[in-house]
Every structure is written in C-alpha cells, then in structure tokens.
C-alpha cells in the first residue's frame, strides 16, 4: 500500500535514518502534489520534519515555498535555519524580494542569514542596506554584510 503524503511527512521524524531518506525520496517523486503539504509542514514543531520538508522543497524548487522558508530563518534550531538559507539561495533571484526586508529584522540571526543569502544571490539592490549593516551590533551580521558586499562587487 502506498503511503500518503501526510504519512511520508510524518516519516521525516522517524528515528531510523533509512525511513527518513526513503520518505524524502518518495516526497521528491510526488513533486508539485507534495508542495502545499510540505509548506504546511514547515510550521511543524519538530525540527526533523522542518529539515526534511525543506530538503524536499529544495529538490522540487517550487517558488511558492519562499515565504514560508523565510520564516524559518528565525527558527530556534540552527540546522533548520541553515537548511532554509541553503534552499532560499537555491531558489534564485525570486527569493530576493522576500529576503531583502529581513535585513531589518530585530533578530540578529535573521539579519545575518539575509546578508549571506543576498550576497550569494548577487542582490545589488541590497548594497545600501548592507553598507549600513557593516556597523550592526552583531559581529555575525557585520561579517555577513561584508561578505555579501564583496560577493556582489566581485572583490
């Protein structure tokens, strides 16, 4: 019997890595059919579900996931944040308009992640704000802004 998308999403938190990997592979094969349930799963409390859903959305590449992925930049779990950053970067320039406002986020982790993402996406429109963030209170944000400016200016 074939598992439903919801059952496969629940398998993302299984303690057996093989079960998780199989669920990721099967969800990737579902493609567009799985996108909405996966976006919904990004709001789950379980970090493994969020990480797995993000990995599948990265593989599928559906841009509808971008706003929900941006919300994960503020997640408590470092691995969730990292996976969201990677996926947003892979989504390409369509992610820029959603990530750009996060340079003003009150959370330093979100501001820093936004810097790194925008640098990787060569977001020239971010340069004025990135210049300001060179003076941010957080050294993580400062480093991200410096790196982003260098990448964008091809230094």
């Amino acid at each position: 019997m074939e598992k439903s998308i919801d059952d496969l999403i629940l398998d993302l938190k299984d303690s057996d890595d093989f079960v998780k990997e199989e669920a990721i592979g099967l969800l990737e094969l579902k493609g567009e059919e799985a996108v909405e349930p996966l976006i919904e799963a990004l709001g789950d409390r379980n970090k493994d579900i969020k990480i797995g859903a993000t990995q599948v959305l990265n593989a599928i590449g559906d841009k509808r996931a971008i706003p929900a992925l941006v919300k994960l930049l503020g997640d408590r779990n470092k691995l969730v944040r990292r996976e969201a950053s990677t996926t947003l970067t892979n989504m390409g320039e369509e992610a820029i308009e959603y990530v750009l406002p996060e340079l003003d986020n009150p959370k330093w982790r979100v501001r820093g992640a936004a810097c790194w993402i925008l640098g990787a996406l060569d977001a020239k429109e971010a340069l004025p704000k990135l210049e300001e963030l060179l003076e941010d209170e957080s050294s993580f944000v400062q480093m991200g802004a410096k790196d982003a400016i260098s990448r964008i200016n091809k230094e």
Side-chain angles (χ1 to χ4, degrees):
M1 184 172 97
E2 188 177 330
K3 287 188 174 186
S4 71
I5 290 173
D6 290 338
D7 288 338
L8 290 171
I9 289 172
L10 287 176
D11 283 349
L12 296 173
K13 67 177 180 179
D14 198 280
S15 59
D16 185 332
D17 286 341
F18 292 110
V19 172
K20 287 182 194 180
E21 289 300 319
E22 180 181 37
I24 287 171
L26 291 171
L27 285 164
E28 286 177 14
L29 290 173
K30 299 271 185 194
E32 189 176 329
E33 176 189 355
V35 170
E36 288 299 329
L38 286 164
I39 290 171
E40 193 174 310
L42 295 178
D44 198 276
R45 294 179 60 118
N46 184 282
K47 72 173 174 55
D48 292 326
I49 287 180
K50 290 188 273 194
I51 291 168
T54 302
Q55 290 171 338
V56 176
L57 287 165
N58 190 8
I60 294 172
D62 194 302
K63 310 297 191 228
R64 291 178 289 172
I66 293 172
L69 290 164
V70 169
K71 288 180 185 169
L72 287 185
L73 296 177
D75 196 86
R76 291 181 306 166
N77 186 282
K78 180 180 186 174
L79 298 175
V80 171
R81 293 192 307 270
R82 185 178 297 155
E83 204 64 47
S85 292
T86 299
T87 301
L88 284 164
T89 301
N90 291 339
M91 289 286 180
E93 62 182 55
E94 287 184 49
I96 293 172
E97 70 177 284
Y98 295 93
V99 175
L100 202 54
E102 300 307 316
L103 292 174
D104 290 317
N105 193 293
K107 295 180 180 175
W108 64 267
R109 285 185 173 109
V110 177
R111 290 193 308 278
C115 289
W116 296 98
I117 294 165
L118 292 166
L121 293 174
D122 198 29
K124 290 174 182 35
E125 58 269 49
L127 282 170
K129 185 64 183 177
L130 290 168
E131 294 283 348
E132 287 178 34
L133 292 176
L134 291 172
E135 304 297 323
D136 195 89
E137 63 204 31
S138 162
S139 61
F140 178 71
V141 175
Q142 291 172 17
M143 287 178 10
K146 184 178 180 182
D147 178 76
I149 292 166
S150 293
R151 287 172 147 222
I152 293 167
N153 289 333
K154 311 278 191 264
E155 294 173 355

